[in-house]
């Protein structure tokens, strides 16, 4: 998988994020993700983190929206790409 850049969102900023959000879960042995495509409800099942990223990239191909990562457990493996902190613009 090619290394990508993702936006790191918090619980609060995720609601204002203008793109798709992957919520990272699981543990160090089995990191999982749940994708919430922009404007939709979260997908119904937790899946391998790589699968959630792949699904998010497919959505991004269709609508060019960015991909955010909500990682409260600090489980994101750096081999999957960089996560850069994101905050909503002032007044948003």
């Amino acid at each position: 998988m090619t290394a990508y850049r993702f936006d790191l969102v918090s619980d609060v900023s995720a609601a204002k994020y203008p793109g798709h959000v992957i919520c990272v879960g699981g543990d160090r042995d089995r990191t999982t993700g749940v994708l919430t495509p922009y404007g939709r409800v979260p997908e119904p099942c937790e899946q391998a983190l790589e699968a959630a990223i792949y699904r998010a990239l497919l959505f991004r191909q269709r609508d060019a929206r960015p991909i955010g990562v909500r990682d409260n457990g600090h489980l994101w493996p750096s081999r999957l790409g960089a996560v850069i902190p994101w905050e909503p613009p002032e007044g948003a």
Side-chain angles (χ1 to χ4, degrees):
M1 179 179 280
T2 304
Y4 291 96
R5 184 185 87 67
F6 301 94
D7 296 318
L8 181 63
V9 298
S10 66
D11 291 338
V12 174
S13 67
K16 296 180 179 182
Y17 190 68
H20 315 294
V21 176
I22 299 169
C23 183
V24 179
D27 56 36
R28 294 265 178 224
D29 294 327
R30 184 176 181 274
T31 309
T32 60
V34 174
L35 174 64
T36 302
Y38 181 77
R40 299 184 186 189
V41 297
E43 292 193 333
C45 61
E46 196 172 24
Q47 54 192 318
L49 182 56
E50 290 85 348
I53 294 168
Y54 179 74
R55 298 255 319 127
L57 291 169
L58 289 175
F59 276 101
R60 184 168 74 180
Q61 272 186 326
R62 288 186 225 147
D63 62 16
R65 290 193 175 276
I67 300 170
V69 173
R70 193 174 75 197
D71 183 18
N72 294 341
H74 307 288
L75 297 172
W76 182 266
S78 60
R79 66 182 170 77
L80 296 179
V83 288
I84 310 300
W86 180 88
E87 289 296 327
E90 291 294 320

